[in-house]
Amino acid sequence: MAARAALQRSVVSPAGGHRASVILLHGSGDTGPGVRAWIKQVLNQDLVFQHIKVIYPTAPARPYTPMRGALSTVWFDRWKISNECPEHIETIDSMCQVLTNVIDDEVKNGISKNRIILGGFSMGGGMAMHLAYRYHQDVAGVFALSSFLNKTSAVYQALQKNESVLPELFQCHGTADELVLHSWGEETNKMLKSLGVATSFHSFPNLKHELHKTELEKLSSWIVKKLPVETAMSNE
């Protein structure tokens, strides 16, 4: 099965020593190099840190139901782009296993799970929430940009039975998003907060389904706050 093969990855190495990692997942139909280039275009530079490696995996192409079964680089399938329908849990779970390999590779490189942040844009943010809150609750944090979870998400079901400390969620959403409604993102945030997740939610007026410079600057500051270089130094 193609999805079981190692994912292609675009990597931005830290300017200094590698002491933490961010795994950033692209939106549907995009690629790792594609979202990296988009971020570079918005920021006028790579999302780069002194001590943190940024990894952009590419989803394997698979039939995608919203595109009438055409092949697309998506993390999972879904019946339609809506928060009302059931999740396509089989494809979500199989991709969680594949992405676990990316996390494991970082751990083998000497980066502990609590020095790894998972996140993404749109579908990538939804994927990151499944990956972190259902399978890897010991990561340092999660971010979701223009993302949502379905109303009956398996993430909510998993957290109802949870008693451990959960990774913090950083969420951003444009108020003018017509593909993934701002209200879907807001509802996801409120639901996760009610289930014990420490969350922040940043609304961007007039922003559509896209990235914004201020949003990425806020994200960069949050990443450094969650993965400070001092902690890495003291652990040596």
Side-chain angles (χ1 to χ4, degrees):
M1 181 180 164
R4 293 291 177 193
L7 298 176
Q8 291 184 324
R9 303 164 205 187
S10 179
V11 175
V12 178
S13 298
H18 178 206
R19 305 181 188 281
S21 296
V22 169
I23 299 168
L24 197 158
L25 307 177
H26 61 76
S28 59
D30 203 351
T31 63
V35 73
R36 176 185 171 179
W38 189 16
I39 288 170
K40 196 171 183 176
Q41 182 186 2
V42 173
L43 284 177
N44 291 317
Q45 64 173 53
D46 265 315
L47 187 63
V48 65
F49 301 92
Q50 187 64 30
H51 62 292
I52 305 167
K53 176 164 81 173
V54 184
I55 304 157
Y56 298 94
T58 294
R62 60 156 297 116
Y64 188 44
T65 301
M67 288 174 54
R68 298 183 181 178
L71 290 179
S72 187
T73 49
V74 291
W75 299 109
F76 50 87
D77 198 7
R78 49 188 170 201
W79 309 115
K80 57 182 175 178
I81 301 170
S82 166
N83 68 345
E84 299 279 357
C85 61
E87 290 174 320
H88 205 294
I89 201 68
E90 287 173 33
T91 56
I92 292 172
D93 285 353
S94 70
M95 189 50 65
C96 281
Q97 303 312 314
V98 175
L99 286 166
T100 291
N101 294 334
V102 181
I103 297 170
D104 289 345
D105 285 348
E106 293 310 292
V107 173
K108 285 172 195 164
N109 284 332
I111 306 300
S112 60
K113 292 270 285 294
N114 66 1
R115 297 287 294 164
I116 297 173
I117 282 176
L118 307 175
F121 174 75
S122 194
M123 175 186 266
M127 186 76 240
M129 288 187 276
H130 275 275
L131 189 62
Y133 293 120
R134 295 177 57 219
Y135 292 95
H136 298 282
Q137 295 181 353
D138 46 352
V139 295
V142 185
F143 63 90
L145 312 177
S146 306
S147 306
F148 74 102
L149 291 171
N150 298 46
K151 288 187 173 184
T152 57
S153 178
V155 174
Y156 303 149
Q157 294 167 32
L159 295 187
Q160 281 168 354
K161 298 171 261 187
N162 178 71
E163 293 180 2
S164 59
V165 177
L166 297 162
E168 183 183 327
L169 173 67
F170 175 94
Q171 217 175 332
C172 296
H173 216 117
T175 61
D177 194 330
E178 294 175 351
L179 183 68
V180 175
L181 300 185
H182 180 267
S183 60
W184 298 358
E186 216 170 22
E187 188 179 291
T188 297
N189 193 278
K190 285 177 183 169
M191 191 70 180
L192 288 171
K193 189 174 252 180
S194 75
L195 291 165
V197 178
T199 71
S200 60
F201 188 86
H202 306 273
S203 296
F204 288 82
N206 306 315
L207 186 69
K208 296 182 179 178
H209 196 66
E210 57 194 338
L211 296 171
H212 188 275
K213 190 168 190 279
T214 308
E215 171 188 37
L216 292 173
E217 288 168 349
K218 277 182 183 282
L219 172 64
S220 180
S221 298
W222 178 80
I223 287 170
V224 172
K225 187 183 86 176
K226 299 305 293 182
L227 300 173
V229 68
E230 297 81 13
T231 308
M233 300 292 279
S234 63
N235 283 348
E236 289 187 348

